[in-house]
Amino acid sequence: MATQTETSATVSTSEKTLHQQKALEEFIARYTQRTKTSKQLAQTYRPVLADNKNLGEFNPVFKELYYPIVGKRSLGSRIWDVDDNEYIDVMMGLGINLFGHNPPFIKEALLEQLDKGIQVGPQSELAGEVAELICQLTGMERVAFSNTGTEAVMTAIRLARAATGRTKIALFSGSYHGHFDGTLVKAQRVDGKLRVVPLAPGVPPNTVNDVLVLDYGNPQSFETIKEYKQELAAVLVVPVQTSRPALQPKTFLHQLRQLTQDLGITLIFDEMVTGFRIHPGGAQAYFGIEADIATYGKIVGGGMPIGIIAGKAVYMDAIDGGMWNYGDSSYPQATKTFFAGTFCKHPLAMAAARAVLKHLKTQGSALQEQLNQRTSQFVETLNTFFEANQVPLRLANFGSLFGSAAIENPSSAENSAASGSMGLFRYQLLSRGVHLLGASGYLSTAHTDEDIDYIIQAVKDSIGELR
C-alpha cells in the first residue's frame, strides 16, 4: 500500500504532467494558427517534394509543428512569411547574409548583370577581377570557382591528393564539410574499439578506408597524424566549428600547421563560415596561420550560390596546368586533375561576389571588429541572465557567430533529451518573431540595437513560458 507521502507525490507529478501537456497543446494551437499557410503548404506538397528543410529531427511530441516557415520577402534584418508574420532573422541564410537581406549594393550589382544577360558558356568578364580581390584579401596565390561549398571541399581534397600522390585525409569530429560521401563519416565505438564508420545510409562502407576522424583540439591527434604520415594527403579543418564556437584552439592550430608542414601534408582550412566573417582575411588572418588551401562560400556570394577554392600555386596549378605566357616557349607544365561545372563562375554569382569583395575591401577590418564586439556584448547579456536565473544554458561566440558554449560533444542520450527542450525553445522564439532554427545564429550589420534588445527580451519571455 502506498504511503500518504507517496500518494501526494504521485498526484503532484500527475497534475504537473497534465498541466504541461495542456500548456503544450495550447502553444501548438497558437503557433499553428499563426503559421497556418506554411503548414498547409508542407502538407500539400509532401507527396511530391522530398524535403529536409524542417526544424531538426522528427519528434512525435512536436509532430503538428514539424514544418518549415515559408518565406515570402526579406529586407535588412527582417523576413516575412506567407502569413505575413514578421521575424527578426538571426539565421541570416545559415551565415550568408553578413550585411542583412537584400542590401542595396548587392541588389544593384545583380540588376546591372540581369540587364546584360546571363551568359553561361563564355567566360564571365568579372571572373578575373573577383579572383584578384580574393587573393588580395586572403593572401592566397590562385583561385578557382565552384557552385557550392560541398564542391569546393571536394575539389580541395582532390587537389591535395593530386599534389601529394597520397589518398588518405584526416578531419576532426564535430566538423561539417558538405554532403558528399568522402567526408560523411564519424568516429563510433564498435565492439569496444573506436572506428570510423559511414555517417548515413547510402554512404559506401569503403569510403571510411581513406578517412581518419581525429579529436579536435586534442594534442593526441598529432600522434595519429604522425602514424599515418606516409599515407595522408591532407588534414581538413574547420578552424571554429558552428556547433562548438567556444572551441577556438589557436595553439593547437599553430602546432597542426607546423606538423603538416614538416611532414609534407596539405593543410586545408574549410572557411565556409569563418571566411570574411571574423576578419577580412578569414580565420587564417585571425589566428595568424597560412593554410595550403582554403575553401570559401556563403558571405562572399552575397546570397548567390558560390564555392571558392583558393590556395598556393603548387596545388591550384592542377586545375589548369599552371602559369604560362603568350609570345614565348612557355606552356602549362603542371599535371592536371579533373575539374568542371556548368554553372561555375555564373555571371550573377560573379557580380554579387565582386560587390561583396569591393565592399569588404573599402570598409576594412572595422566592419568585422564592430560587429564582433556587438555580438560579444549580446552573448554576455544573455549569459548574465541565464546565470542569474539558473538557466542551464551558456552561449559563446566567434565573431558574429554565436551558439552553445559547450565544448564536448554530448552523448546520444543527452542529445535526445536536449533536442526536445531546445526544439520547443526555438518554436517559442519563432512564435515571438525571432527566426532561429538551428543551434547557432548570426548577427549582421543590418541588426540594430533595437533588434538585439527585442531578441534578448524574446529569449527571456520564452524561457519564462517554458518554465
Side-chain angles (χ1 to χ4, degrees):
M1 176 178 281
T3 65
Q4 185 175 353
T5 303
E6 289 171 337
T7 303
S8 299
T10 303
V11 170
S12 176
T13 302
S14 177
E15 287 176 348
K16 183 179 180 181
T17 303
L18 288 171
H19 175 72
Q20 290 174 333
Q21 183 61 35
K22 183 181 179 183
L24 179 58
E25 290 172 355
E26 289 175 352
F27 173 75
I28 290 174
R30 291 199 311 271
Y31 182 86
T32 53
Q33 176 59 31
R34 171 185 166 89
T35 58
K36 57 183 181 295
T37 307
S38 288
K39 185 173 185 178
Q40 178 186 342
L41 289 170
Q43 183 64 57
T44 298
Y45 294 114
R46 187 169 294 120
V48 294
L49 178 60
D51 187 21
N52 69 341
K53 200 174 185 67
N54 285 295
L55 293 179
E57 294 299 316
F58 182 83
N59 187 331
V61 176
F62 305 133
K63 177 181 177 180
E64 295 303 319
L65 302 174
Y66 195 67
Y67 53 89
I69 296 297
V70 179
K72 184 178 181 180
R73 59 190 177 96
S74 60
L75 184 66
S77 64
R78 315 258 166 162
I79 60 173
W80 288 262
D81 68 14
V82 286
D83 288 294
D84 288 323
N85 296 309
E86 183 177 340
Y87 304 82
I88 296 174
D89 188 17
V90 279
M91 285 299 294
M92 282 292 144
L94 298 173
I96 290 172
N97 301 310
L98 183 67
F99 318 105
H101 292 279
N102 208 14
F105 70 94
I106 295 177
K107 181 179 179 179
E108 289 168 8
L110 291 173
L111 289 174
E112 181 181 344
Q113 183 59 51
L114 280 171
D115 284 341
K116 294 178 179 179
I118 302 174
Q119 301 82 28
V120 174
Q123 177 77 290
S124 166
E125 66 175 328
L126 304 179
E129 183 183 356
V130 174
E132 189 173 58
L133 285 166
I134 291 168
C135 290
Q136 289 172 0
L137 286 171
T138 66
M140 289 301 191
E141 293 177 351
R142 302 196 75 199
V143 171
F145 297 99
S146 64
N147 301 299
T148 67
T150 294
E151 292 176 24
V153 173
M154 286 170 57
T155 303
I157 292 172
R158 189 179 302 147
L159 292 175
R161 284 171 169 158
T164 62
R166 305 167 186 165
T167 57
K168 282 191 183 296
I169 64 166
L171 48 82
F172 294 95
S173 57
S175 61
Y176 175 70
H177 299 287
H179 64 92
F180 73 106
D181 290 350
T183 59
L184 286 180
V185 299
K186 63 180 178 180
Q188 180 176 296
R189 217 160 267 289
V190 179
D191 297 329
K193 297 181 179 179
L194 202 61
R195 302 183 186 278
V196 179
V197 299
L199 182 65
V203 177
N206 62 1
T207 297
V208 306
N209 297 336
D210 290 326
V211 186
L212 303 176
V213 179
L214 310 177
D215 188 15
Y216 191 42
N218 185 347
Q220 281 297 115
S221 297
F222 299 145
E223 299 307 314
T224 306
I225 292 172
K226 292 175 185 175
E227 181 182 350
Y228 288 91
K229 62 183 180 182
Q230 300 297 334
E231 302 171 69
L232 275 173
V235 175
L236 180 60
V237 59
V238 176
V240 177
Q241 300 169 357
T242 55
S243 59
R244 296 189 286 180
L247 183 55
Q248 303 173 22
K250 181 177 180 178
T251 300
F252 176 85
L253 287 169
H254 275 269
Q255 292 171 339
L256 178 65
R257 171 65 288 189
Q258 188 62 54
L259 179 62
T260 52
Q261 197 164 1
D262 291 344
L263 300 179
I265 299 169
T266 312
L267 179 62
I268 304 174
F269 261 37
D270 184 341
E271 293 224 46
M272 288 299 147
V273 172
T274 58
F276 309 104
R277 175 176 298 282
I278 186 67
H279 183 281
Q284 292 174 88
Y286 182 82
F287 288 120
I289 293 172
E290 290 185 10
D292 298 307
I293 305 174
T295 58
Y296 304 95
K298 293 188 183 290
I299 287 171
V300 72
M304 298 302 296
I306 196 170
I308 291 168
I309 313 99
K312 296 177 179 177
V314 67
Y315 296 97
M316 300 302 298
D317 286 354
I319 295 283
D320 61 2
M323 180 62 190
W324 54 277
N325 297 298
Y326 296 112
D328 58 22
S329 60
S330 61
Y331 62 94
Q333 297 188 50
T335 301
K336 290 172 60 178
T337 187
F338 190 83
F339 176 72
T342 299
F343 293 105
C344 295
K345 296 175 285 186
H346 191 283
L348 289 177
M350 291 295 98
R354 182 178 70 162
V356 167
L357 291 163
K358 289 178 72 174
H359 183 77
L360 288 170
K361 188 177 179 181
T362 301
Q363 295 293 311
S365 60
L367 183 150
Q368 285 87 354
E369 289 168 2
Q370 292 170 10
L371 183 57
N372 296 348
Q373 180 59 34
R374 293 183 75 214
T375 310
S376 295
Q377 291 172 351
F378 166 71
V379 165
E380 184 180 350
T381 299
L382 283 175
N383 281 339
T384 300
F385 167 77
F386 295 148
E387 187 172 359
N389 289 271
Q390 297 181 325
V391 178
L393 179 65
R394 294 294 181 273
L395 298 177
N397 70 294
F398 183 63
S400 50
L401 157 71
F402 64 91
S404 171
I407 290 181
E408 297 299 324
N409 284 322
S411 68
S412 57
E414 289 170 331
N415 259 328
S416 179
S419 65
S421 300
M422 287 305 297
L424 189 52
F425 178 56
R426 293 175 200 131
Y427 286 119
Q428 286 280 352
L429 288 177
L430 284 169
S431 73
R432 288 175 166 81
V434 176
H435 189 249
L436 176 65
L437 307 184
S440 57
Y442 307 85
L443 291 187
S444 74
T445 60
H447 284 102
T448 64
D449 291 340
E450 290 76 18
D451 289 335
I452 293 172
D453 289 342
Y454 183 91
I455 296 166
I456 291 170
Q457 190 59 51
V459 169
K460 294 178 178 179
D461 292 344
S462 296
I463 288 173
E465 183 167 340
L466 283 171
R467 279 184 160 175

